[in-house]
Amino acid sequence: MPSAEKIYLDYAASTPVDDRVLQAMLPYFSQVYGNPSSVHAFGQQSELAVDRSRASMAQRLNASEDEVIFTSCGTESDNLALRGVAWMQRKRHGSRHILTTPVEHHAVLHTVQLLAEQGFEVEFLPVDRFGLVEPGDVEAALRPDTAIVSVIYANNEIGTINPIAEIGAICRAMNIPFHTDAVQAASHLQMDVVRDQVDLLSLGAHKFYGPKGVGALYIRRGTPIEAAQTGGKQEFGLRAGTHNVPYIVGMAKAFELAQEEVDQRAINNCRMREQLVGKILSTVPASQITGHPEIRLPNHASFVFEGIDGNQLLMQLDVAGFACSSGSACKTGSPSPSEVLTAIGLDPEWALGSLRVTFGHDTNRDVVDRFADQVILAVEQQRRMGR
Ligand SMILES: *Cc1c(COP(=O)(O)O)cnc(C)c1O
């Protein structure tokens, strides 16, 4: 347990479980424990909890209950969407073309790389200097043999929000399955799969104050997909394995709260974001924000500093009591600039000095102010010492 003075500013990597979520989960560890697939009363009680959670998730997504599949995490949801649809599309129609972007999370990027080894042709759409995908580029790249399109909803590293509804409309008109990784977006934006015309949408509970190790995949009725994990008949035959009942209950509760409180959370977060960005950019020479200045996640500020070692900066900040990230949690410790920062055209001299700051329930204006002072100090220190 970090000491009391430690300040957490890495909510895009994970969030603490909200107490209301924890309370909802607790009975399902030891009081209600039947297997939801069992026919007896114990099983029925658990099944009821899973059904209620599914109904709640569906309602918040503007989906039907039979369109929500529970998985073990956002990564698994991305895997099931891409593998499941790509395989089925190839089986049914011989489709082999996969269209995605160079700014996806590794859960998508590494999955399409594997599909490429299995004979799929993976094409990466261009992105602009903010990491935005242009819907016209999607339209131009779609082919009759496109098996699936996958575009990240909001980027975990640079916060940019893509025009998902516009891309959705284009894919729908061509009848091509459209997947979006909404693992970051669902914590901060109002989700609506009908408005956005998506066919598949990935969620992960631990990004919105739910437990780690549970996720969901929205799959629009009629979407061609096969199971990536086989076994029992759970989850409409698409995801075998006994349900993790307490975590599913927790995810549904956390998603309900995130979606209900979305506006209120966004207003607070945007104010703090403007405060931090304003102070850093006006004080630190050779600094830039990464991602779009406005079309971005409300709690997300990301920067690059020319000539700075991002990992060293993280360590300096950690010593000063602030926990943040260089971008994606998975990339910490890696010496080469991230794929995302390279894809938006940043020079390595800048891209290696990246910093991602993400706010949450415990962040306030005072914390942001003190944090900004530390960043200013740490960058100055590094530059003075020539790294
Ligand atoms: C965190 C994250 C994932 C992975 O989700 P897990 O539940 O941690 O597996 C996928 N995509 C994005 C955009 C993420 O931020």
Side-chain angles (χ1 to χ4, degrees):
M1 182 75 194
S3 70
E5 311 86 76
K6 295 276 182 206
I7 305 271
Y8 188 75
L9 292 170
D10 198 12
Y11 290 85
S14 200
T15 58
V17 173
D18 188 301
D19 192 53
R20 295 166 289 182
V21 171
L22 182 62
Q23 294 310 318
M25 292 170 68
L26 286 177
Y28 296 94
F29 284 100
S30 52
Q31 289 165 30
V32 181
Y33 53 82
N35 188 321
S37 303
S38 300
V39 292
H40 47 62
F42 291 82
Q44 285 169 27
Q45 221 184 340
S46 293
E47 191 186 21
L48 183 65
V50 173
D51 288 349
R52 281 195 182 135
S53 302
R54 196 188 310 282
S56 164
M57 297 285 301
Q59 190 199 334
R60 311 280 162 188
L61 288 165
N62 195 12
S64 303
E65 286 168 41
D66 59 349
E67 296 177 314
V68 176
I69 303 292
F70 290 112
T71 66
S72 69
C73 58
T75 299
E76 188 194 329
S77 298
D78 286 341
N79 270 261
L80 173 58
L82 288 158
R83 289 168 201 254
V85 172
W87 290 340
M88 189 58 101
Q89 289 276 77
R90 179 163 67 179
K91 206 181 271 181
R92 281 201 193 153
H93 310 292
S95 304
R96 287 169 185 275
H97 181 232
I98 295 173
L99 200 54
T100 187
T101 83
V103 293
E104 298 298 315
H105 188 274
H106 279 173
V108 168
L109 182 66
H110 291 171
T111 304
V112 298
Q113 282 170 351
L114 196 94
L115 288 166
E117 287 171 24
Q118 297 174 353
F120 286 91
E121 180 194 335
V122 178
E123 182 180 344
F124 292 95
L125 291 156
V127 292
D128 70 9
R129 67 196 166 99
F130 303 124
L132 273 174
V133 175
E134 170 62 47
D137 290 333
V138 179
E139 190 158 29
L142 281 179
R143 308 194 318 216
D145 69 334
T146 304
I148 185 168
V149 177
S150 186
V151 176
I152 192 165
Y153 205 126
N155 193 278
N156 47 301
E157 262 186 79
I158 57 174
T160 299
I161 302 166
N162 270 312
I164 293 303
E166 286 173 65
I167 298 169
I170 289 164
C171 295
R172 185 66 53 85
M174 294 274 287
N175 202 23
I176 309 279
F178 175 42
H179 167 252
T180 187
D181 175 345
V183 178
Q184 286 294 330
S187 320
H188 304 282
L189 308 175
Q190 205 236 314
M191 291 287 109
D192 186 332
V193 294
V194 176
R195 174 197 67 200
D196 291 343
Q197 300 194 50
V198 297
D199 298 292
L200 305 111
L201 180 140
S202 301
L203 301 171
H206 75 99
K207 303 288 173 70
F208 48 77
Y209 303 91
K212 294 167 188 63
V214 62
L217 179 65
Y218 160 77
I219 309 174
R220 185 172 165 249
R221 206 176 286 155
T223 302
I225 186 164
E226 67 177 50
Q229 175 165 305
T230 47
K233 292 209 163 50
Q234 292 93 349
E235 300 302 288
F236 315 104
L238 284 172
R239 201 277 178 179
T242 299
H243 297 95
N244 189 344
V245 182
Y247 282 49
I248 287 171
V249 168
M251 176 170 198
K253 182 68 184 171
F255 191 54
E256 176 193 314
L257 294 171
Q259 292 289 301
E260 267 172 15
E261 297 171 4
V262 81
D263 293 335
Q264 171 199 330
R265 292 183 190 183
I267 292 168
N268 279 335
N269 280 320
C270 277
R271 280 203 199 111
M272 293 190 288
R273 188 187 75 201
E274 295 315 310
Q275 180 194 349
L276 178 67
V277 170
K279 190 161 174 178
I280 298 277
L281 294 189
S282 63
T283 317
V284 182
S287 61
Q288 273 182 37
I289 74 161
T290 57
H292 199 283
E294 282 121 34
I295 311 170
R296 66 184 298 133
L297 291 170
N299 75 323
H300 190 296
S302 52
F303 304 90
V304 281
F305 305 103
E306 188 183 21
I308 290 293
D309 176 338
N311 283 329
Q312 199 183 319
L313 181 60
L314 287 186
M315 286 186 268
Q316 290 170 285
L317 292 169
D318 188 46
V319 169
F322 294 96
C324 31
S325 163
S326 60
S328 146
C330 326
K331 294 206 183 82
T332 307
S334 133
S336 52
S338 90
E339 288 103 334
V340 172
L341 298 182
T342 307
I344 62 172
L346 278 178
D347 190 274
E349 260 307 285
W350 283 83
L352 285 170
S354 66
L355 178 69
R356 179 186 75 181
V357 189
T358 45
F359 307 139
H361 285 2
D362 283 330
T363 319
N364 58 45
R365 296 183 67 85
D366 173 55
V367 163
V368 172
D369 213 48
R370 282 190 284 135
F371 173 71
D373 289 338
Q374 279 303 327
V375 174
I376 294 162
L377 204 69
V379 171
E380 249 173 35
Q381 246 171 20
Q382 255 199 60
R383 285 195 173 140
R384 199 163 356 102
M385 297 167 74
R387 279 200 212 175

